[in-house]
Amino acid sequence: MTTLHSADDPRQTRHRSLDGLRGVGALCVMVHHFIAGFLPAAYFGAKGVNTNAFQDWLAGSPLVVFYNGSFAVHAFFALSGFVIAQSMSPNAVPLTLLVGRRYLRLAVPMLVSACLAFVLLKVFGDSSRAAAQVVGNPWLQWYHNPSPTFFQAAWDAVFNPFRFGESNINRVLWTMRVELFGSIAIYLVYRLVPRQAVVPCLFALLVLTIPARFGLGAYMGMAGGALLFEAHASGHLDKLRAGLLGPLLIVAGLLLGGRAARDPAETHFYVLHQALSVVASSFEFTLALGAILLLAGVLLTSGAHRFLERRVPQFLGRISFALYLVHIPLMTTLVTCVYLLLPATSARWLFALPVYLVAAFGVAWLMTRFVDEPLTRQLRRVKEFPAQTWLRVLHAVLAALLVGLVGWRLRGDVLSMLVALVGYAGVFLVGQLLLVRRPAAVSSAPRSAREDRLP
């Protein structure tokens, strides 16, 4: 574990290995979508698609964990919960600024990815539909709206993912709802609950998400990640570092993460599925539990630290958010277009794959360099409310008017009104940035860097 400050204060410890884990997860999601698109039987199994026996075997084997994007997404949630909890220091940044900063940290890169998808659709057209017919896989054409207007594309970035948990321009944006509202839940716990009651409240949130009802299953990883930070901060987790517990937790997490789209009865997972059904049998519960165990195992295993702190995982961690956002727009336009131009053989996916990798890594690096990293630097500039009372009153009135207008137009839709309020907190933060003439010296404290690097 590499630290930038005294290891005596867990809030001042930067876990570079977690950056690497996030990068490996982003690569897993990227590979998952390519396999699900062009080699569907290797993920979904042989039923109803053109396939071969090896792909069908692979879909039912434990090896599916290495390209199970659903598991990687739950690992993202657990990582986010850990780091958000770590960032909550006693010298409190106002809650409104925390929420606004989090919204902009997510929404601005989302908007850029939606604009990229809009341009790619105009250039390459609906090539994914034709590629889906060639592959024999309807899933491939599902991943975008073929003819959006620019307003629809923008709205699919700044509102729909948070309100409905979906986006027609870039389907991977559904996870941003969990990232935003899971973060807000953790903010509220740390800001409103007495310090001695934080862990019980986080545990209660974890228990509430286990049944996976009302769409809450995806939040289990966020609560579990925050609890892992508390265990680490209190020193209880480090007491378990000796021995083989860490590697065993990693193996257990990966084993649970191998539950993919196939019926568990047709895979290696059947016995585990029967055992876990005593608690909860949902797909999300299994993957979230696996992600929490994996994160705990990484924190306890020095060998995992060394591997994840190497140059390649660290580079992947640096571009992970951008890579996650841009790979689907590129795959369903540029890559499917190239795929259709290649000779009609069963192996033409091998020639489309390098195009996919080069395009995704290149665009993700550019987006990280010119959008993501400048954005995080700017967001760290504002740390308090304006001193002028009239400005505070003005913002309160404008926020009330916006929420009232949304409620009136959408007939009292409470969740839409909440998203509008969170969005206004982001607008408020933009206004504050414009008023800050000289950037404050960027603190080297990793809590800021860690929080703002989060997707």
Side-chain angles (χ1 to χ4, degrees):
M1 179 190 309
T2 300
T3 62
L4 299 182
H5 290 263
S6 172
D8 294 334
D9 183 358
R11 295 188 186 276
Q12 300 297 312
T13 300
R14 177 171 174 176
H15 300 266
R16 294 181 65 240
S17 58
L18 301 190
D19 292 334
L21 181 59
R22 187 179 298 278
V24 172
L27 179 64
C28 177
V29 173
M30 179 181 167
V31 173
H32 158 77
H33 284 135
F34 186 87
I35 290 176
F38 296 100
L39 300 167
Y43 181 71
F44 298 105
K47 292 183 178 179
V49 296
N50 296 324
T51 184
N52 59 51
F54 175 72
Q55 290 182 29
D56 186 48
W57 172 85
L58 199 61
S61 76
L63 296 176
V64 75
V65 67
F66 295 108
Y67 57 88
N68 187 355
S70 299
F71 175 59
V73 164
H74 282 274
F76 293 159
F77 296 152
L79 285 164
S80 295
F82 184 97
V83 177
I84 289 293
Q86 184 182 26
S87 72
M88 300 302 291
S89 62
N91 51 337
V93 175
L95 183 62
T96 302
L97 290 185
L98 285 173
V99 173
R101 193 161 64 182
R102 188 66 172 142
Y103 175 80
L104 288 180
R105 178 66 186 90
L106 298 171
V108 172
M110 290 164 64
L111 180 60
V112 173
S113 76
C115 292
L116 172 67
F118 177 80
V119 172
L120 289 171
L121 284 169
K122 296 301 180 184
V123 173
F124 296 100
D126 194 17
S127 56
S128 66
R129 186 177 300 274
Q133 293 175 351
V134 172
V135 178
N137 180 19
W139 182 92
L140 187 58
Q141 73 184 40
W142 175 78
Y143 252 88
H144 72 270
N145 174 7
S147 56
T149 65
F150 182 78
F151 176 79
Q152 287 174 332
W155 197 245
D156 260 352
V158 300
F159 182 80
N160 285 343
F162 302 119
R163 169 58 186 89
F164 301 105
E166 64 180 29
S167 170
N168 290 320
I169 192 70
N170 188 359
R171 295 290 179 128
V172 298
L173 298 185
W174 73 268
T175 62
M176 298 301 111
R177 181 184 189 180
V178 180
E179 291 283 355
L180 178 64
F181 289 111
S183 299
I184 291 175
I186 295 173
Y187 291 152
L188 290 173
V189 168
Y190 279 90
R191 285 290 180 263
L192 303 181
V193 173
R195 186 68 189 89
Q196 61 271 22
V198 165
V199 171
C201 283
L202 291 174
F203 185 76
L205 289 176
L206 177 69
V207 172
L208 286 174
T209 61
I210 287 177
R213 296 177 181 175
F214 312 110
L216 295 177
Y219 294 87
M220 180 179 169
M222 296 283 288
L227 280 171
L228 280 178
F229 170 73
E230 288 297 327
H232 168 68
S234 65
H236 295 311
L237 196 62
D238 290 340
K239 293 176 182 178
L240 305 174
R241 187 178 296 275
L244 296 176
L245 180 60
L248 288 175
L249 288 175
I250 291 176
V251 172
L254 293 176
L255 191 60
L256 293 177
R259 179 175 178 182
R262 291 189 65 169
D263 183 345
E266 301 175 358
T267 69
H268 75 284
F269 199 83
Y270 182 69
V271 175
L272 276 175
H273 173 74
Q274 292 297 100
L276 289 173
S277 63
V278 175
V279 180
S281 59
S282 73
F283 184 67
E284 289 181 331
F285 168 74
T286 302
L287 297 183
L289 178 61
I292 294 169
L293 294 178
L294 175 64
L295 177 56
V298 168
L299 290 169
L300 292 173
T301 307
S302 57
H305 292 167
R306 290 192 295 270
F307 170 75
L308 293 170
E309 290 173 8
R310 292 182 176 179
R311 182 174 300 177
V312 172
Q314 287 296 300
F315 172 74
L316 291 173
R318 180 188 175 191
I319 67 169
S320 58
F321 190 29
L323 187 64
Y324 179 79
L325 292 178
V326 304
H327 75 278
I328 278 294
L330 289 166
M331 191 187 86
T332 54
T333 53
L334 169 65
V335 178
T336 53
C337 185
V338 170
Y339 182 86
L340 293 171
L341 294 175
L342 291 169
T345 66
S346 60
R348 59 176 158 178
W349 63 270
L350 284 171
F351 300 95
L353 180 59
V355 176
Y356 178 51
L357 295 175
V358 171
F361 285 126
V363 174
W365 182 84
L366 290 172
M367 184 172 169
T368 300
R369 178 69 177 82
F370 296 106
V371 177
D372 212 27
E373 292 177 341
L375 175 66
T376 62
R377 290 193 294 268
Q378 291 299 313
L379 292 178
R380 287 198 294 269
R381 291 170 56 191
V382 178
K383 297 182 179 180
E384 59 185 13
F385 283 112
Q388 300 91 333
T389 302
W390 71 270
L391 270 178
R392 297 188 181 193
V393 173
L394 176 63
H395 280 299
V397 170
L398 290 176
L401 287 175
L402 175 63
V403 172
L405 177 63
V406 170
W408 173 67
R409 291 296 302 270
L410 299 179
R411 299 181 180 180
D413 185 348
V414 176
L415 190 53
S416 292
M417 294 165 69
L418 178 59
V419 172
L421 184 61
V422 170
Y424 185 80
V427 173
F428 165 80
L429 188 57
V430 171
Q432 285 296 97
L433 286 171
L434 295 176
L435 294 174
V436 177
R437 295 185 179 182
R438 290 191 308 167
V442 177
S443 170
S444 61
R447 66 177 183 86
S448 297
R450 288 288 305 148
E451 179 187 0
D452 291 329
R453 182 176 286 188
L454 281 171

